[in-house]
C-alpha cells in the first residue's frame, strides 16, 4: 500500500485510527478459550466489528511469539484474514526488529514478504545497514522508532548531543538512507510537545502515534502539533479498545470504544480538510 492510498482511506473513513491487536490470553473473554484458536477468534471479532472505523491494525508480535508456534500461527491467520477480506486496511507488524544487514534482510522477508504486512517497526540503534534491507521492499514501509511513549525514552532519546536531542539526529540521518521515502516514524502521544520540532525535520512523513488512551496521550494535542497537510498521522489505541469488555458481547463494546475515537477524528478531519 502506498502512502497516497493510505491517505485516501483516511479521508474516506474520516479516521486515522490504528487498533493494536495485543492479545493476552489472561485478558480476553473467557468463553473464547474454549475455541481451537482463541487468539485468532478474538482478533477476527474485533476486526469484523471495527474495520469501517479504522484504517490500520497493528499486532504486536511479542504477544504472539509468547505462545510459541501456536501464537505464530494465530498471527499468520490474522494477517491472512485481513489481507483477504479487508485489503484496504494498512497492516503493521509491530516487531521492533533491527540487526546487522543479512539478519535484517531475513526479518524483512519474514514480515513484508512471507506474512505480507504493509509495514514493520524497526529500531534504529544499529544504523543504516540494519534498516535499509527493510526499505528495499517496494510499496512497503519501515516505521522507525524515533521518540517513544515509555518513561525510559528519556534515558537516551532526548539526551542532548552537540546541541540537539539524539532523536533529532535519528530523524535527520534516516532521511539520507536509500529509499527513505518508505520511512514512517513512531512518536509517542505522551510526547506531544515535541511534535512541532519533529515536523520541521520530517514534514511529509506518516507518524505512528501510540499512547492515546490507556497511556494518557491526548488526541487533540497530537493533532494540533503533529498533523500535516495530508493528515500524516496514525493514532494507535490498543488496550482501551480491545479490552473494553470481557463479556460474550465484547465485540459490541469494542466497536463502541472505537467509535468514540473515530467520531473525534471525524470532527478533526471535517474541520481541517473539508472546504
Amino acid at each position: 500500500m502506498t502512502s497516497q492510498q493510505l491517505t485516501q482511506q483516511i479521508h474516506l473513513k474520516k479516521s486515522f485510527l490504528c487498533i493494536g491487536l495485543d492479545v493476552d490470553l489472561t485478558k480476553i473473554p473467557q468463553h473464547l478459550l474454549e475455541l481451537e484458536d482463541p487468539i485468532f477468534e478474538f482478533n477476527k471479532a474485533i476486526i469484523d466489528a471495527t474495520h469501517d472505523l479504522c484504517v490500520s491494525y497493528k499486532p504486536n508480535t511479542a504477544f504472539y511469539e509468547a505462545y510459541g508456534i501456536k501464537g505464530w500461527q494465530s498471527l499468520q491467520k490474522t494477517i491472512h484474514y485481513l489481507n483477504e477480506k479487508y485489503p484496504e486496511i494498512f497492516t503493521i507488524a509491530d516487531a521492533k526488529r533491527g540487526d546487522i544487514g543479512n539478519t535484517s534482510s531475513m526479518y524483512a522477508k519474514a514480515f513484508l514478504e512471507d506474512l505480507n504486512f504493509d509495514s514493520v517497526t524497526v529500531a534504529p540503534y544499529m544504523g543504516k545497514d540494519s534498516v535499509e534491507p527493510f526499505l528495499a521492499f517496494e510499496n512497503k514501509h519501515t516505521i522507525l522508532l524515533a521518540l517513544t511513549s515509555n518513561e525510559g525514552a528519556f534515558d537516551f532519546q532526548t539526551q542532548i548531543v552537540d546541541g540537539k536531542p539524539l532523536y533529532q539526529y535519528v530523524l535527520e540521518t534516516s532521511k539520507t538512507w536509500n529509499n527513505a521515502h518508505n520511512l514512517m516514524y513512531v512518536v509517542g502521544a505522551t510526547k506531544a510537545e515535541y511534535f512541532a520540532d519533529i515536523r520541521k525535520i520530517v514534514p511529509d512523513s506518516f507518524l505512528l502515534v501510540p499512547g492515546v488512551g490507556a497511556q494518557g496521550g491526548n488526541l487533540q494535542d497530537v493533532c494540533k502539533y503533529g498533523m500535516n497537510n495530508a493528515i500524516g498521522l496514525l493514532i494507535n489505541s490498543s488496550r482501551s479498545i480491545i479490552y473494553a469488555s470481557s463479556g460474550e458481547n465484547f465485540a459490541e463494546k469494542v466497536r463502541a470504544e472505537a467509535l468514540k475515537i473515530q467520531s473525534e477524528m471525524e470532527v478533526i478531519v471535517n474541520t481541517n480538510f473539508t472546504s
Side-chain angles (χ1 to χ4, degrees):
M1 178 180 288
T2 67
S3 296
Q4 291 76 19
Q5 289 171 324
L6 176 55
T7 299
Q8 289 171 359
Q9 284 297 309
I10 289 172
H11 284 285
L12 181 66
K13 293 181 175 178
K14 308 289 186 184
S15 172
F16 41 101
L17 173 61
C18 170
I19 296 178
L21 299 174
D22 303 348
V23 186
D24 183 340
L25 288 178
T26 67
K27 295 180 180 179
I28 71 173
Q30 291 297 296
H31 72 277
L32 294 177
L33 298 178
E34 302 170 4
L35 303 177
E36 181 180 353
D37 190 342
I39 293 176
F40 172 68
E41 295 298 338
F42 181 66
N43 285 344
K44 180 177 179 293
I46 290 170
I47 292 164
D48 288 341
T50 61
H51 66 91
D52 59 319
L53 302 176
C54 68
V55 295
S56 179
Y57 291 102
K58 181 179 71 67
N60 185 319
T61 62
F63 287 83
Y64 300 84
E65 294 171 80
Y67 298 108
I69 186 62
K70 289 185 177 180
W72 196 260
Q73 290 169 342
S74 298
L75 179 63
Q76 281 186 309
K77 288 166 68 175
T78 297
I79 185 61
H80 180 74
Y81 185 73
L82 279 166
N83 287 337
E84 286 293 310
K85 192 162 185 181
Y86 305 110
E88 76 281 2
I89 292 286
F90 184 75
T91 55
I92 301 170
D94 190 3
K96 300 180 180 70
R97 296 302 200 260
D99 208 324
I100 60 172
N102 61 339
T103 306
S104 281
S105 293
M106 293 297 103
Y107 280 139
K109 181 179 174 65
F111 290 108
L112 301 178
E113 186 174 293
D114 180 52
L115 290 174
N116 198 22
F117 276 91
D118 291 310
S119 63
V120 59
T121 58
V122 173
Y125 192 76
M126 291 183 69
K128 174 181 178 178
D129 58 322
S130 71
V131 179
E132 285 189 339
F134 295 92
L135 293 171
F137 284 75
E138 187 176 0
N139 292 332
K140 301 287 187 173
H141 302 272
T142 301
I143 308 179
L144 207 66
L145 301 178
L147 185 60
T148 54
S149 58
N150 62 306
E151 183 180 348
F154 295 106
D155 290 347
F156 300 114
Q157 296 168 30
T158 60
Q159 293 299 305
I160 304 300
V161 180
D162 293 334
K164 69 174 71 173
L166 181 60
Y167 77 87
Q168 292 188 12
Y169 281 102
V170 171
L171 292 169
E172 291 170 353
T173 301
S174 70
K175 292 171 65 177
T176 69
W177 295 339
N178 289 330
N179 299 314
H181 59 277
N182 289 332
L183 280 170
M184 298 179 176
Y185 300 91
V186 174
V187 181
T190 54
K191 308 290 192 297
E193 66 273 19
Y194 294 91
F195 275 83
D197 288 336
I198 289 170
R199 276 304 186 201
K200 292 176 183 176
I201 303 171
V202 287
D204 301 321
S205 301
F206 262 94
L207 306 180
L208 172 63
V209 185
V212 169
Q215 294 184 51
N218 182 278
L219 176 62
Q220 298 296 330
D221 285 346
V222 169
C223 291
K224 179 180 178 181
Y225 298 108
M227 187 174 280
N228 63 17
N229 291 333
I231 299 178
L233 296 172
L234 290 173
I235 304 294
N236 181 76
S237 186
S238 302
R239 288 170 286 170
S240 61
I241 292 178
I242 68 173
Y243 297 124
S245 171
S246 59
E248 293 197 10
N249 67 337
F250 74 97
E252 295 176 21
K253 301 295 185 181
V254 165
R255 179 175 177 82
E257 288 301 313
L259 183 59
K260 289 179 185 177
I261 300 177
Q262 185 275 328
S263 297
E264 279 191 73
M265 292 178 172
E266 183 168 358
V267 172
I268 293 168
V269 172
N270 286 340
T271 301
N272 292 278
F273 297 95
T274 302
S275 57

